[in-house]
Amino acid sequence: MRCISYLFWYNQSVQPSEKPLIWIGSSKKDLMALPIGVRKFFGHALNFAQNGEQHDACKVLKGFGSAGVLEVVEDDAAGTYRAVYTIKFKEAVFVLHCFQKKSKRGIETPRKDMEIVYARLKAAEAMAKEIRDGKARS
């Protein structure tokens, strides 16, 4: 009985305007490999995005022409970490990439990581279209 009442309480507490979070490629596995404090911080920032808000630590990722692709940056004793996501599509917030920044060339995102983001953004676009088309058929 406790389980049923918890589920009722949980379902009542979820915001109806909250977008689902969809992980592209290995982004969730990559996030889970980061330090726990960084994971919690990124989770909090992603929750803001799901609710149509932007966390103070988020900024537009350069090279995508609009504010549709954002990154969250967090530092800890072991280094600098980034999570990249897109709010470009109304269907969901798509997490594109999570990684530890290892480049020694200032704050620039390494080319390899940018290529991953570009490829996963294309995958997110295709997935958003499938979701949209699936809802239209239902």
Side-chain angles (χ1 to χ4, degrees):
M1 185 64 174
R2 289 180 83 187
C3 181
I4 292 171
S5 56
Y6 171 77
L7 288 174
F8 176 76
W9 172 82
Y10 176 78
N11 288 333
Q12 296 300 313
S13 68
V14 171
Q15 299 293 329
S17 62
E18 187 175 87
K19 286 185 177 182
L21 196 60
I22 298 178
W23 303 86
I24 304 294
S26 63
S27 59
K28 187 168 187 179
K29 182 182 130 214
D30 297 339
L31 175 77
M32 297 310 289
L34 302 180
I36 191 156
V38 174
R39 290 194 319 245
K40 286 181 178 182
F41 186 81
F42 287 169
H44 186 66
L46 290 169
N47 184 257
F48 269 61
Q50 286 182 273
N51 288 292
E53 300 173 26
Q54 184 173 320
H55 192 278
D56 290 340
C58 294
K59 63 181 185 175
V60 175
L61 184 61
K62 292 179 182 170
F64 293 91
S66 73
V69 178
L70 299 118
E71 71 175 339
V72 188
V73 180
E74 177 67 347
D75 295 314
D76 85 341
T80 299
Y81 302 88
R82 294 182 179 185
V84 179
Y85 64 94
T86 185
I87 55 170
K88 236 175 139 168
F89 312 107
K90 66 180 179 180
E91 290 77 18
V93 173
F94 293 89
V95 183
L96 305 173
H97 193 30
C98 297
F99 61 101
Q100 181 176 9
K101 183 182 176 301
K102 296 179 181 174
S103 171
K104 303 297 180 202
R105 299 182 319 164
I107 61 170
E108 184 178 330
T109 304
R111 173 176 281 168
K112 180 186 105 185
D113 292 304
M114 288 298 286
E115 289 170 357
I116 291 170
V117 171
Y118 280 114
R120 291 183 181 173
L121 182 60
K122 286 184 181 183
E125 185 174 14
M127 193 176 290
K129 185 179 182 322
E130 285 180 23
I131 293 168
R132 202 169 30 249
D133 291 348
K135 286 182 180 176
R137 288 188 200 121
S138 296

